Amino acid sequence: MRLALRCALVVVFGAYAAVAEAAKDATPIGTAKIVTGEAFVVRGTVRTPVKVGDALLEHDVFETSAGGSIGITFIDNTSFSIGPSSHVAIDTYFFD
């Protein structure tokens, strides 16, 4: 039982480390400017709460609860709002 738990923890921490490493090398495409209620960013398999000031990356997926919303400002100063009960993926971002 303990061996199985150790193996599971290694897999979880390994997946988190891989996502963190990929995020570290990614170029930010925007910033979370307004966050209300429950709002999350999913990167790979890791789901974390979004906080005001967080950098947003290409391929991020945003999820909001029934009372959540996110206001994003992209690097070209375009603003984008994500309302309650949403699931939004930023697959590709182009800016000249």
Side-chain angles (χ1 to χ4, degrees):
M1 179 67 156
R2 287 186 181 183
L3 179 60
L5 180 59
R6 285 186 201 150
C7 290
L9 289 174
V10 167
V11 169
V12 168
F13 288 124
Y16 179 77
V19 170
E21 185 66 27
K24 182 179 76 171
D25 294 336
T27 302
I29 61 169
T31 305
K33 294 292 186 176
I34 300 169
V35 179
T36 58
E38 291 185 325
F40 301 92
V41 61
V42 180
R43 290 188 178 129
T45 59
V46 179
R47 184 178 187 246
T48 57
V50 177
K51 299 178 301 301
V52 171
D54 282 354
L56 308 176
L57 309 175
E58 197 169 59
H59 307 296
D60 278 352
V61 176
F62 301 97
E63 299 175 347
T64 57
S65 67
S69 64
I70 307 170
I72 296 171
T73 300
F74 291 103
I75 58 174
D76 65 352
N77 281 330
T78 300
S79 58
F80 183 73
S81 297
I82 302 171
S85 302
S86 296
H87 183 94
V88 176
I90 308 292
D91 288 327
T92 305
Y93 176 80
F94 293 103
F95 172 63
D96 291 357

